[in-house]
DNA sequence: ACGGTGAATTGGAACGGTCCAACGCTGTCC
DNA sequence: GGACAGCGTTGGACCGTTCCAATTCACCGT
């Protein structure tokens, strides 16, 4: 009762201590009053309408400037029923690969006036489990899932209502969800064929886990088979970590092994490739003279002069760009059939391969 | 006129092609209607009010479930004048350091029901230039700036209206803006004193740029001076890159140099330390037998077994946690004087240092 | 029988924008 | 001189919530 007579005073929101400086941010009405026009006219000015006289436009702009007015995005999107925001769900921001995709995404989305709202599933437990709820409550205009994702059921639910695109992963396949991914199988073939072209005949692969690990292994196997080297090819399992790569390489290179050891190794990713490099050096093998190595992902690890690894560059930036393109298309035609495209990788040559010793 | 009789039909928003599936998402009114209650009661249920009969509560919950209703965050925050969102501005997501800070931030913010809206100044040109405008339009409840920042004027403007905290940087100092940063000077002293304690007498520093570079150099100089080694200490300038570290190390270690060469080097960061490592190996020096190295930041580079660098761990997670604490406090008392705290780093010992050769 | 009490429920006014129909002007044309 | 067109401008409905005051209703004591 007493309170209703002093509406804009501090502590008006019932918190323990007064919020902000007690003064609410200026509204469109405040601007209108100051400029001596109606709020409708201010709205027209904000939208850059041409049917406003220069005099009033200037008055409005001055008032905006003087008051430091900023339109309220919530109010705006409430009536427009568009937030100009797309949700981006990642699962590990530590992965430099993601940043490339984000960069590619952003370049296009920004040009279309969309901002990105990022959530990291691993970093933010809530976002991982409950991202469906969060993004729906925020009424994002679209959703991009980057990499693998914790909760497929949740995604299916969101995808029914929201234009959705998966970037950098091959699954899950859902009715109206586009997929843009790296062509991992092709990249693995590229790496393997590079070793073969150098003259290597005993070639090994340090495998990774998950669907991506599967695809890269498949590419490796296809390449060795195509060149009749399947009999002398070996696959050791790793886990995508440096330690896993190290141990796999030790198993591969250990002299106690019955068969002759490989002269070329294609590793699942750069990290495990670095592990393999460590193992080789511990065993007194020179890279690339005694052992050729190829990694994958072309991370900045590969670019360290000390390591200088050949690596498959999976063009993540392009994946991001294309995913953005898909999302924009799907926002226009939400019921179009799901598309599925692969982006071709390239092999980046540095110093970790050479022809085998004669 | 004709339209007003068919309000919820597709294309109602006047776009070129129909948006979504033509059906608007359910609102609180729809839920109320279905449950046979008023919208006010639904609102009470949503807020978990105890003064709702069990029968009606259940009816409402069922209706929500059946319709797949999700409250509209924009409408909610419009009346509540709180978005439960804090803006996080970073300047390069590629930096693994940031991710740690974000993780620390998130752990506390999430527990207080706040979500993070991230913008990368380098990735998103608009966010970098115009983040002040964007965050103000979104009416975020607070702002965290992680690392350095492109536009100090913009920050000053925002900070007048918004609880603001700077994490991981020592500047700029503004009236109501708290600062939580790593104690770079102390970390540098730690690293340098470790070398001194091992018995090194000719110690060098590969410096970095900016305020942080300055602070670390200062810590180095303080330590050598305190131990009476200032005369034999050298500082070479680098730029925080691998290449810069490499070149600085070449200059330091080159035999043609007039003076005797250092036996211990403290580098500005892990990356330039890796560059120094490369240079040492090219010159035929063994690390750590001929040359001890210490890096900074304890990134995962340092943890690569192949490199296995001693490095100063600047406890970024803790920086994030404390920054979140500051922000929460400041949201309660926005006019409190600005605080400034430093987080103590620790030295992580691995394999890149040893006593100098006798 | 009646007012009082308190709990459960409801209508309606915000919140800060957009947008549409309608308005007052001025000038033009027949 | 009146109908009309077109321009610049405005009031008010609406978007989907929250919150407050008001209402209903059963129950109680007198």
């Amino acid at each position: 009762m007493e309170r209703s007579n002093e509406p804009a005073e501090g502590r008006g929101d019932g918190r323990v201590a007064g919020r902000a400086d007690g003064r609410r941010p200026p509204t469109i009405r405040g601007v209108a009053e100051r400029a001596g026009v109606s709020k409708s006219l201010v709205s027209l000015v904000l939208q850059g309408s041409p049917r406003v006289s220069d005099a009033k436009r200037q008055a409005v702009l001055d008032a905006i400037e003087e008051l430091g007015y900023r339109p309220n995005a919530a109010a705006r999107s409430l009536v427009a029923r568009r937030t100009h925001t797309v949700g981006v769900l990642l699962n590990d921001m530590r992965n430099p690969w993601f940043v490339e995709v984000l960069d590619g995404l952003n370049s296009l989305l920004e040009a279309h006036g969309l901002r990105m709202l990022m959530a990291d599933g691993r970093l933010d437990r809530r976002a991982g489990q409950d991202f469906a709820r969060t993004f729906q409550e925020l009424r994002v205009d679209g959703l991009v899932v980057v990499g693998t994702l914790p909760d497929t059921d949740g995604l299916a639910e969101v995808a029914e209502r929201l234009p959705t695109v998966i970037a950098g992963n091959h699954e899950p396949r859902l009715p109206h969800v586009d997929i843009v991914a790296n062509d991992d199988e092709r990249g693995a073939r590229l790496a393997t064929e590079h070793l073969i072209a150098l003259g290597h005949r005993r070639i090994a692969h340090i495998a990774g886990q998950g669907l991506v690990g599967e695809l890269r292994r498949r590419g490796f196997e296809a390449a060795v088979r195509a060149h009749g080297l399947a009999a002398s090819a070996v696959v050791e399992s790793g886990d995508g970590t440096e330690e896993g790569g190290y141990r796999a390489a030790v198993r591969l290179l250990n002299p106690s092994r019955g068969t002759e050891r490989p002269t070329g190794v294609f590793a699942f990713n750069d990290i495990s490739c670095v592990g393999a490099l460590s193992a080789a050096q511990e065993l007194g093998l020179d890279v690339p003279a005694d052992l050729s190595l190829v990694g994958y992902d072309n991370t900045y690890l590969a670019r360290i002069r000390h390591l200088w690894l050949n690596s498959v560059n999976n063009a993540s930036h392009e994946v991001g760009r294309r995913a953005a393109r898909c999302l924009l298309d799907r926002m226009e035609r939400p019921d179009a059939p799901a598309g599925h495209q692969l982006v071709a990788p390239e092999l980046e040559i540095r110093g970790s391969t050479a022809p085998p010793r004669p």
Side-chain angles (χ1 to χ4, degrees), chain A residues 1 4 21 31 36 38 65 70 121 124 138 151 189 195 199 213 221 289 300 311 319 322 345 355:
Chain A
M1 264 199 176
S4 62
D21 54 355
V31 174
S38 71
E65 177 71 20
R70 294 283 175 267
D124 184 342
L138 291 170
D151 169 20
R189 271 205 319 270
L195 290 171
E221 287 170 347
Y300 81 108
S311 187
V319 170
R322 292 217 209 163

Side-chain angles (χ1 to χ4, degrees), chain A residues 165-186:
Chain A
V165 173
I166 294 175
N169 194 10
H170 302 259
E171 48 183 15
R173 307 215 176 190
L174 292 167
H176 297 279
V177 178
D178 300 305
I179 292 183
V180 181
N182 307 110
D183 194 341
D184 289 289
E185 193 169 340
R186 178 163 169 181

Side-chain angles (χ1 to χ4, degrees), chain A residues 1-309:
Chain A
M1 264 199 176
E2 312 80 40
R3 276 226 336 248
S4 62
N5 280 338
E6 40 170 52
E9 271 311 4
R11 315 194 44 173
D13 59 357
R15 300 201 59 74
V16 180
R19 263 263 314 128
D21 54 355
R23 166 108 74 261
R24 289 188 191 171
T27 72
I28 199 173
R29 271 174 243 269
V31 174
E33 197 173 328
R34 178 152 193 139
V37 300
S38 71
K39 65 179 176 42
S40 303
L41 193 82
V42 177
S43 178
L44 288 176
V45 171
L46 285 174
Q47 278 146 76
S49 162
R51 34 215 298 167
V52 176
S53 67
D54 286 346
K56 301 232 166 176
R57 163 173 290 115
Q58 198 53 52
V60 168
L61 291 177
D62 289 349
I64 288 176
E65 177 71 20
E66 288 160 18
L67 295 174
Y69 167 75
R70 294 283 175 267
N72 183 325
R76 185 176 279 186
S77 70
L78 186 56
V79 43
R81 280 207 263 347
R82 287 203 65 183
T83 53
H84 298 280
T85 300
V86 307
V88 180
L89 185 70
L90 346 123
N91 63 34
D92 187 4
M93 241 168 37
R94 267 161 262 252
N95 196 332
W97 183 89
F98 285 177
V99 182
E100 289 296 314
V101 177
L102 289 177
D103 204 1
L105 271 172
N106 191 68
S107 62
L108 248 164
L109 294 181
E110 185 190 10
H112 287 254
L114 295 168
R115 65 175 75 87
M116 304 194 305
L117 178 59
M118 296 182 252
D120 185 315
R122 205 162 297 185
L123 194 139
D124 184 342
R125 204 182 62 251
R126 188 180 45 187
Q129 294 300 316
D130 222 19
F131 74 97
R133 169 176 294 271
T134 305
F135 281 139
Q136 282 186 78
E137 291 190 0
L138 291 170
R139 299 287 194 273
V140 294
D141 294 338
L143 181 62
V144 182
V145 177
V146 183
T148 55
L149 130 143
D151 169 20
T152 302
D153 294 342
L155 182 67
E157 181 198 334
V158 187
E160 281 176 18
R161 314 173 176 222
L162 225 54
T164 301
V165 173
I166 294 175
N169 194 10
H170 302 259
E171 48 183 15
R173 307 215 176 190
L174 292 167
H176 297 279
V177 178
D178 300 305
I179 292 183
V180 181
N182 307 110
D183 194 341
D184 289 289
E185 193 169 340
R186 178 163 169 181
R189 271 205 319 270
L190 234 53
T192 312
E193 281 166 358
H194 167 67
L195 290 171
I196 295 173
L198 282 172
H200 293 273
R201 289 298 170 264
R202 304 194 51 78
I203 305 179
H205 175 49
I206 298 176
Q209 295 165 317
L211 180 60
V212 173
E214 166 78 13
L215 288 169
R216 293 185 187 172
R217 186 172 57 72
R218 216 181 281 168
F220 168 79
E221 287 170 347
V224 288
R225 210 175 308 118
H227 290 81
L229 300 173
S232 55
V234 201
V235 174
E236 270 290 346
S237 62
D239 56 5
T241 67
E242 196 207 353
E243 185 65 22
Y246 173 83
R247 279 197 279 224
V250 167
R251 289 195 296 275
L252 283 170
L253 302 175
N254 202 315
S256 74
R257 200 182 173 85
T259 57
E260 222 177 324
R261 71 182 169 211
T263 60
V265 171
F266 161 52
F268 167 70
N269 63 8
D270 286 346
I271 313 228
S272 47
C273 194
V274 170
L277 180 60
S278 296
Q281 296 196 333
E282 276 186 21
L283 293 168
L285 297 174
D286 184 67
V287 173
D290 300 315
L291 182 71
S292 286
L293 292 175
V294 183
Y296 208 115
D297 291 342
N298 199 25
T299 59
Y300 81 108
L301 273 183
R303 253 163 287 179
I304 291 177
R305 119 183 7 236
H306 191 80
L307 306 172
W308 212 239
L309 304 176

Side-chain angles (χ1 to χ4, degrees), chain A residues 317-350:
Chain A
H317 196 274
E318 178 64 15
V319 170
R321 286 181 59 85
R322 292 217 209 163
R325 185 72 263 158
C326 282
L327 188 67
L328 292 167
D329 291 347
R330 185 154 294 279
M331 284 166 70
E332 294 218 332
R333 287 176 293 101
D335 296 323
H340 184 338
Q341 50 179 306
L342 294 176
V343 180
E346 289 179 5
L347 180 64
E348 180 95 16
I349 308 269
R350 294 198 182 83

